[in-house]
Amino acid sequence: MKKLLSLALLLCCLAPAALAGPAATAEPAPAERLEEYGLLLLGEGPYTEVETATLQALLGYADQAENLQLETDLAAPGGGNVDLSAIRKLETRVESLEDELDTYEDALKATLRAGDLSREAYRAFDEELERLDDLLDDLEDFLEIYWDD
């Protein structure tokens, strides 16, 4: 029981920092882009500080996933020669981003449990995390084709 309470306390204390996601190290998204993303996921604002931070982080993750998709399309053109080392690097980056998304999802759950995020916002963010995870799973499946030969 003590271990469970310690874990819960740790997650509650770390969750706000973890919610910063990749946006903590990158430039904030332009206001219009963040507003469009917020409308898409949550509807009309204004958004709480936690919702804004989460939107910023998810937008950063979405950008990373979409960039990986573009890089995969370039590295593995249909019928062309393929650089297997580039494919392996892309696979590693996809797996790494999947791990980041899993960690972020845990932090988001802790934020919900702490009462800092509404259930409606959590559901919207969780659906976006699932969409990104599906995109990464598809990329991973596509890249694994090159190792099945």
Side-chain angles (χ1 to χ4, degrees), residues 11-41:
L11 285 175
C12 288
C13 293
L14 289 179
L19 284 177
T25 56
E27 269 185 45
E32 305 95 28
R33 196 159 169 247
L34 190 60
E35 185 178 332
E36 288 174 12
Y37 198 61
L39 282 171
L40 178 68
L41 297 182

PDB file of all heavy atoms in Angstrom, residues 11-41:
ATOM      1  N   LEU A  11       3.872  10.266  -9.348  1.00  0.00           N
ATOM      2  CA  LEU A  11       3.239  10.583 -10.623  1.00  0.00           C
ATOM      3  C   LEU A  11       2.550  11.941 -10.588  1.00  0.00           C
ATOM      4  O   LEU A  11       2.610  12.697 -11.541  1.00  0.00           O
ATOM      5  CB  LEU A  11       2.234   9.502 -11.017  1.00  0.00           C
ATOM      6  CG  LEU A  11       2.834   8.206 -11.528  1.00  0.00           C
ATOM      7  CD1 LEU A  11       1.736   7.179 -11.757  1.00  0.00           C
ATOM      8  CD2 LEU A  11       3.616   8.426 -12.803  1.00  0.00           C
ATOM      9  N   CYS A  12       1.921  12.252  -9.472  1.00  0.00           N
ATOM     10  CA  CYS A  12       1.245  13.552  -9.367  1.00  0.00           C
ATOM     11  C   CYS A  12       2.252  14.699  -9.382  1.00  0.00           C
ATOM     12  O   CYS A  12       2.005  15.746  -9.943  1.00  0.00           O
ATOM     13  CB  CYS A  12       0.406  13.624  -8.093  1.00  0.00           C
ATOM     14  SG  CYS A  12      -1.066  12.596  -8.208  1.00  0.00           S
ATOM     15  N   CYS A  13       3.394  14.477  -8.772  1.00  0.00           N
ATOM     16  CA  CYS A  13       4.419  15.520  -8.743  1.00  0.00           C
ATOM     17  C   CYS A  13       5.118  15.656 -10.091  1.00  0.00           C
ATOM     18  O   CYS A  13       5.496  16.749 -10.491  1.00  0.00           O
ATOM     19  CB  CYS A  13       5.461  15.230  -7.667  1.00  0.00           C
ATOM     20  SG  CYS A  13       4.792  15.352  -6.007  1.00  0.00           S
ATOM     21  N   LEU A  14       5.300  14.542 -10.773  1.00  0.00           N
ATOM     22  CA  LEU A  14       6.006  14.569 -12.056  1.00  0.00           C
ATOM     23  C   LEU A  14       5.092  14.895 -13.223  1.00  0.00           C
ATOM     24  O   LEU A  14       5.562  15.360 -14.254  1.00  0.00           O
ATOM     25  CB  LEU A  14       6.663  13.209 -12.321  1.00  0.00           C
ATOM     26  CG  LEU A  14       7.852  12.861 -11.455  1.00  0.00           C
ATOM     27  CD1 LEU A  14       8.366  11.484 -11.825  1.00  0.00           C
ATOM     28  CD2 LEU A  14       8.964  13.876 -11.601  1.00  0.00           C
ATOM     29  N   ALA A  15       3.812  14.665 -13.074  1.00  0.00           N
ATOM     30  CA  ALA A  15       2.895  14.814 -14.202  1.00  0.00           C
ATOM     31  C   ALA A  15       2.952  16.192 -14.843  1.00  0.00           C
ATOM     32  O   ALA A  15       3.040  16.284 -16.057  1.00  0.00           O
ATOM     33  CB  ALA A  15       1.468  14.472 -13.778  1.00  0.00           C
ATOM     34  N   PRO A  16       2.919  17.300 -14.086  1.00  0.00           N
ATOM     35  CA  PRO A  16       2.966  18.587 -14.773  1.00  0.00           C
ATOM     36  C   PRO A  16       4.223  18.763 -15.611  1.00  0.00           C
ATOM     37  O   PRO A  16       4.158  19.276 -16.722  1.00  0.00           O
ATOM     38  CB  PRO A  16       2.914  19.609 -13.631  1.00  0.00           C
ATOM     39  CG  PRO A  16       2.213  18.877 -12.525  1.00  0.00           C
ATOM     40  CD  PRO A  16       2.681  17.446 -12.661  1.00  0.00           C
ATOM     41  N   ALA A  17       5.363  18.300 -15.122  1.00  0.00           N
ATOM     42  CA  ALA A  17       6.597  18.415 -15.904  1.00  0.00           C
ATOM     43  C   ALA A  17       6.544  17.494 -17.119  1.00  0.00           C
ATOM     44  O   ALA A  17       6.954  17.862 -18.215  1.00  0.00           O
ATOM     45  CB  ALA A  17       7.805  18.062 -15.038  1.00  0.00           C
ATOM     46  N   ALA A  18       6.005  16.302 -16.932  1.00  0.00           N
ATOM     47  CA  ALA A  18       5.931  15.357 -18.040  1.00  0.00           C
ATOM     48  C   ALA A  18       4.945  15.830 -19.097  1.00  0.00           C
ATOM     49  O   ALA A  18       5.099  15.550 -20.276  1.00  0.00           O
ATOM     50  CB  ALA A  18       5.527  13.974 -17.522  1.00  0.00           C
ATOM     51  N   LEU A  19       3.920  16.579 -18.673  1.00  0.00           N
ATOM     52  CA  LEU A  19       2.941  17.062 -19.634  1.00  0.00           C
ATOM     53  C   LEU A  19       3.525  18.074 -20.601  1.00  0.00           C
ATOM     54  O   LEU A  19       2.946  18.354 -21.630  1.00  0.00           O
ATOM     55  CB  LEU A  19       1.740  17.676 -18.910  1.00  0.00           C
ATOM     56  CG  LEU A  19       0.783  16.664 -18.310  1.00  0.00           C
ATOM     57  CD1 LEU A  19      -0.320  17.373 -17.552  1.00  0.00           C
ATOM     58  CD2 LEU A  19       0.196  15.765 -19.368  1.00  0.00           C
ATOM     59  N   ALA A  20       4.661  18.612 -20.278  1.00  0.00           N
ATOM     60  CA  ALA A  20       5.294  19.569 -21.178  1.00  0.00           C
ATOM     61  C   ALA A  20       5.695  18.890 -22.478  1.00  0.00           C
ATOM     62  O   ALA A  20       5.708  19.504 -23.526  1.00  0.00           O
ATOM     63  CB  ALA A  20       6.502  20.211 -20.512  1.00  0.00           C
ATOM     64  N   GLY A  21       5.996  17.582 -22.434  1.00  0.00           N
ATOM     65  CA  GLY A  21       6.320  16.823 -23.634  1.00  0.00           C
ATOM     66  C   GLY A  21       7.434  17.451 -24.435  1.00  0.00           C
ATOM     67  O   GLY A  21       8.274  18.169 -23.914  1.00  0.00           O
ATOM     68  N   PRO A  22       7.449  17.210 -25.744  1.00  0.00           N
ATOM     69  CA  PRO A  22       8.524  17.726 -26.586  1.00  0.00           C
ATOM     70  C   PRO A  22       8.492  19.237 -26.716  1.00  0.00           C
ATOM     71  O   PRO A  22       9.484  19.846 -27.070  1.00  0.00           O
ATOM     72  CB  PRO A  22       8.275  17.054 -27.938  1.00  0.00           C
ATOM     73  CG  PRO A  22       6.833  16.740 -27.943  1.00  0.00           C
ATOM     74  CD  PRO A  22       6.470  16.458 -26.499  1.00  0.00           C
ATOM     75  N   ALA A  23       7.359  19.845 -26.433  1.00  0.00           N
ATOM     76  CA  ALA A  23       7.248  21.293 -26.577  1.00  0.00           C
ATOM     77  C   ALA A  23       8.113  22.026 -25.562  1.00  0.00           C
ATOM     78  O   ALA A  23       8.418  23.195 -25.744  1.00  0.00           O
ATOM     79  CB  ALA A  23       5.788  21.726 -26.432  1.00  0.00           C
ATOM     80  N   ALA A  24       8.515  21.348 -24.487  1.00  0.00           N
ATOM     81  CA  ALA A  24       9.339  21.999 -23.476  1.00  0.00           C
ATOM     82  C   ALA A  24      10.716  22.345 -24.028  1.00  0.00           C
ATOM     83  O   ALA A  24      11.343  23.295 -23.580  1.00  0.00           O
ATOM     84  CB  ALA A  24       9.477  21.100 -22.260  1.00  0.00           C
ATOM     85  N   THR A  25      11.183  21.574 -24.997  1.00  0.00           N
ATOM     86  CA  THR A  25      12.507  21.812 -25.548  1.00  0.00           C
ATOM     87  C   THR A  25      12.449  22.495 -26.908  1.00  0.00           C
ATOM     88  O   THR A  25      13.464  22.953 -27.399  1.00  0.00           O
ATOM     89  CB  THR A  25      13.280  20.485 -25.687  1.00  0.00           C
ATOM     90  OG1 THR A  25      12.516  19.598 -26.488  1.00  0.00           O
ATOM     91  CG2 THR A  25      13.533  19.874 -24.321  1.00  0.00           C
ATOM     92  N   ALA A  26      11.280  22.543 -27.507  1.00  0.00           N
ATOM     93  CA  ALA A  26      11.143  23.151 -28.823  1.00  0.00           C
ATOM     94  C   ALA A  26      10.451  24.503 -28.690  1.00  0.00           C
ATOM     95  O   ALA A  26       9.928  24.841 -27.641  1.00  0.00           O
ATOM     96  CB  ALA A  26      10.322  22.231 -29.730  1.00  0.00           C
ATOM     97  N   GLU A  27      10.473  25.244 -29.778  1.00  0.00           N
ATOM     98  CA  GLU A  27       9.755  26.515 -29.801  1.00  0.00           C
ATOM     99  C   GLU A  27       8.268  26.242 -29.685  1.00  0.00           C
ATOM    100  O   GLU A  27       7.765  25.272 -30.235  1.00  0.00           O
ATOM    101  CB  GLU A  27      10.001  27.207 -31.143  1.00  0.00           C
ATOM    102  CG  GLU A  27      11.163  28.129 -31.139  1.00  0.00           C
ATOM    103  CD  GLU A  27      11.250  28.867 -32.466  1.00  0.00           C
ATOM    104  OE1 GLU A  27      10.231  29.359 -32.982  1.00  0.00           O
ATOM    105  OE2 GLU A  27      12.376  28.933 -32.965  1.00  0.00           O
ATOM    106  N   PRO A  28       7.539  27.115 -28.980  1.00  0.00           N
ATOM    107  CA  PRO A  28       6.089  26.928 -28.923  1.00  0.00           C
ATOM    108  C   PRO A  28       5.487  27.038 -30.321  1.00  0.00           C
ATOM    109  O   PRO A  28       6.006  27.736 -31.180  1.00  0.00           O
ATOM    110  CB  PRO A  28       5.613  28.093 -28.046  1.00  0.00           C
ATOM    111  CG  PRO A  28       6.825  28.576 -27.329  1.00  0.00           C
ATOM    112  CD  PRO A  28       8.004  28.231 -28.186  1.00  0.00           C
ATOM    113  N   ALA A  29       4.398  26.316 -30.524  1.00  0.00           N
ATOM    114  CA  ALA A  29       3.719  26.365 -31.813  1.00  0.00           C
ATOM    115  C   ALA A  29       3.124  27.754 -32.001  1.00  0.00           C
ATOM    116  O   ALA A  29       2.706  28.380 -31.031  1.00  0.00           O
ATOM    117  CB  ALA A  29       2.621  25.316 -31.856  1.00  0.00           C
ATOM    118  N   PRO A  30       3.102  28.232 -33.238  1.00  0.00           N
ATOM    119  CA  PRO A  30       2.455  29.526 -33.484  1.00  0.00           C
ATOM    120  C   PRO A  30       1.019  29.497 -32.961  1.00  0.00           C
ATOM    121  O   PRO A  30       0.344  28.471 -33.020  1.00  0.00           O
ATOM    122  CB  PRO A  30       2.488  29.658 -35.006  1.00  0.00           C
ATOM    123  CG  PRO A  30       3.605  28.779 -35.442  1.00  0.00           C
ATOM    124  CD  PRO A  30       3.655  27.656 -34.445  1.00  0.00           C
ATOM    125  N   ALA A  31       0.559  30.631 -32.485  1.00  0.00           N
ATOM    126  CA  ALA A  31      -0.747  30.724 -31.832  1.00  0.00           C
ATOM    127  C   ALA A  31      -1.879  30.214 -32.717  1.00  0.00           C
ATOM    128  O   ALA A  31      -2.766  29.494 -32.245  1.00  0.00           O
ATOM    129  CB  ALA A  31      -1.004  32.157 -31.393  1.00  0.00           C
ATOM    130  N   GLU A  32      -1.850  30.557 -34.014  1.00  0.00           N
ATOM    131  CA  GLU A  32      -2.939  30.128 -34.894  1.00  0.00           C
ATOM    132  C   GLU A  32      -2.972  28.613 -35.030  1.00  0.00           C
ATOM    133  O   GLU A  32      -4.035  27.998 -35.054  1.00  0.00           O
ATOM    134  CB  GLU A  32      -2.813  30.723 -36.312  1.00  0.00           C
ATOM    135  CG  GLU A  32      -2.715  32.212 -36.374  1.00  0.00           C
ATOM    136  CD  GLU A  32      -1.268  32.690 -36.442  1.00  0.00           C
ATOM    137  OE1 GLU A  32      -0.384  31.968 -36.940  1.00  0.00           O
ATOM    138  OE2 GLU A  32      -1.032  33.807 -35.984  1.00  0.00           O
ATOM    139  N   ARG A  33      -1.816  28.035 -35.144  1.00  0.00           N
ATOM    140  CA  ARG A  33      -1.737  26.584 -35.307  1.00  0.00           C
ATOM    141  C   ARG A  33      -2.225  25.874 -34.056  1.00  0.00           C
ATOM    142  O   ARG A  33      -2.951  24.885 -34.131  1.00  0.00           O
ATOM    143  CB  ARG A  33      -0.287  26.210 -35.611  1.00  0.00           C
ATOM    144  CG  ARG A  33      -0.166  24.839 -36.151  1.00  0.00           C
ATOM    145  CD  ARG A  33       1.137  24.669 -36.918  1.00  0.00           C
ATOM    146  NE  ARG A  33       1.252  23.254 -37.148  1.00  0.00           N
ATOM    147  CZ  ARG A  33       2.175  22.485 -36.606  1.00  0.00           C
ATOM    148  NH1 ARG A  33       3.132  23.004 -35.898  1.00  0.00           N
ATOM    149  NH2 ARG A  33       2.178  21.206 -36.823  1.00  0.00           N
ATOM    150  N   LEU A  34      -1.830  26.382 -32.906  1.00  0.00           N
ATOM    151  CA  LEU A  34      -2.257  25.811 -31.636  1.00  0.00           C
ATOM    152  C   LEU A  34      -3.768  25.979 -31.471  1.00  0.00           C
ATOM    153  O   LEU A  34      -4.451  25.059 -31.010  1.00  0.00           O
ATOM    154  CB  LEU A  34      -1.503  26.474 -30.477  1.00  0.00           C
ATOM    155  CG  LEU A  34      -1.658  25.831 -29.118  1.00  0.00           C
ATOM    156  CD1 LEU A  34      -1.153  24.398 -29.138  1.00  0.00           C
ATOM    157  CD2 LEU A  34      -0.909  26.632 -28.074  1.00  0.00           C
ATOM    158  N   GLU A  35      -4.288  27.128 -31.891  1.00  0.00           N
ATOM    159  CA  GLU A  35      -5.727  27.377 -31.797  1.00  0.00           C
ATOM    160  C   GLU A  35      -6.501  26.395 -32.684  1.00  0.00           C
ATOM    161  O   GLU A  35      -7.526  25.841 -32.271  1.00  0.00           O
ATOM    162  CB  GLU A  35      -6.030  28.814 -32.203  1.00  0.00           C
ATOM    163  CG  GLU A  35      -7.477  29.197 -32.012  1.00  0.00           C
ATOM    164  CD  GLU A  35      -7.740  30.651 -32.367  1.00  0.00           C
ATOM    165  OE1 GLU A  35      -6.822  31.481 -32.251  1.00  0.00           O
ATOM    166  OE2 GLU A  35      -8.876  30.930 -32.785  1.00  0.00           O
ATOM    167  N   GLU A  36      -6.017  26.168 -33.908  1.00  0.00           N
ATOM    168  CA  GLU A  36      -6.669  25.212 -34.815  1.00  0.00           C
ATOM    169  C   GLU A  36      -6.664  23.809 -34.230  1.00  0.00           C
ATOM    170  O   GLU A  36      -7.665  23.087 -34.311  1.00  0.00           O
ATOM    171  CB  GLU A  36      -5.963  25.201 -36.171  1.00  0.00           C
ATOM    172  CG  GLU A  36      -6.197  26.430 -37.002  1.00  0.00           C
ATOM    173  CD  GLU A  36      -5.362  26.434 -38.274  1.00  0.00           C
ATOM    174  OE1 GLU A  36      -4.764  25.387 -38.624  1.00  0.00           O
ATOM    175  OE2 GLU A  36      -5.304  27.490 -38.924  1.00  0.00           O
ATOM    176  N   TYR A  37      -5.540  23.433 -33.647  1.00  0.00           N
ATOM    177  CA  TYR A  37      -5.414  22.102 -33.046  1.00  0.00           C
ATOM    178  C   TYR A  37      -6.359  21.988 -31.850  1.00  0.00           C
ATOM    179  O   TYR A  37      -7.011  20.963 -31.671  1.00  0.00           O
ATOM    180  CB  TYR A  37      -3.950  21.889 -32.634  1.00  0.00           C
ATOM    181  CG  TYR A  37      -3.552  20.461 -32.393  1.00  0.00           C
ATOM    182  CD1 TYR A  37      -3.634  19.502 -33.395  1.00  0.00           C
ATOM    183  CD2 TYR A  37      -3.039  20.072 -31.159  1.00  0.00           C
ATOM    184  CE1 TYR A  37      -3.229  18.201 -33.181  1.00  0.00           C
ATOM    185  CE2 TYR A  37      -2.629  18.768 -30.935  1.00  0.00           C
ATOM    186  CZ  TYR A  37      -2.737  17.836 -31.945  1.00  0.00           C
ATOM    187  OH  TYR A  37      -2.333  16.546 -31.724  1.00  0.00           O
ATOM    188  N   GLY A  38      -6.440  23.048 -31.060  1.00  0.00           N
ATOM    189  CA  GLY A  38      -7.358  23.067 -29.924  1.00  0.00           C
ATOM    190  C   GLY A  38      -8.806  22.934 -30.362  1.00  0.00           C
ATOM    191  O   GLY A  38      -9.584  22.187 -29.758  1.00  0.00           O
ATOM    192  N   LEU A  39      -9.171  23.654 -31.421  1.00  0.00           N
ATOM    193  CA  LEU A  39     -10.531  23.542 -31.952  1.00  0.00           C
ATOM    194  C   LEU A  39     -10.818  22.122 -32.420  1.00  0.00           C
ATOM    195  O   LEU A  39     -11.907  21.587 -32.206  1.00  0.00           O
ATOM    196  CB  LEU A  39     -10.729  24.521 -33.110  1.00  0.00           C
ATOM    197  CG  LEU A  39     -10.967  25.970 -32.730  1.00  0.00           C
ATOM    198  CD1 LEU A  39     -10.922  26.861 -33.976  1.00  0.00           C
ATOM    199  CD2 LEU A  39     -12.299  26.134 -32.019  1.00  0.00           C
ATOM    200  N   LEU A  40      -9.855  21.519 -33.081  1.00  0.00           N
ATOM    201  CA  LEU A  40     -10.004  20.161 -33.582  1.00  0.00           C
ATOM    202  C   LEU A  40     -10.221  19.166 -32.441  1.00  0.00           C
ATOM    203  O   LEU A  40     -11.097  18.311 -32.514  1.00  0.00           O
ATOM    204  CB  LEU A  40      -8.765  19.766 -34.396  1.00  0.00           C
ATOM    205  CG  LEU A  40      -8.740  18.355 -34.967  1.00  0.00           C
ATOM    206  CD1 LEU A  40      -9.796  18.213 -36.060  1.00  0.00           C
ATOM    207  CD2 LEU A  40      -7.373  18.028 -35.513  1.00  0.00           C
ATOM    208  N   LEU A  41      -9.435  19.296 -31.380  1.00  0.00           N
ATOM    209  CA  LEU A  41      -9.502  18.318 -30.293  1.00  0.00           C
ATOM    210  C   LEU A  41     -10.531  18.650 -29.216  1.00  0.00           C
ATOM    211  O   LEU A  41     -11.209  17.754 -28.720  1.00  0.00           O
ATOM    212  CB  LEU A  41      -8.129  18.159 -29.630  1.00  0.00           C
ATOM    213  CG  LEU A  41      -7.009  17.614 -30.498  1.00  0.00           C
ATOM    214  CD1 LEU A  41      -5.735  17.460 -29.681  1.00  0.00           C
ATOM    215  CD2 LEU A  41      -7.384  16.290 -31.128  1.00  0.00           C
TER     216      LEU A  41
END
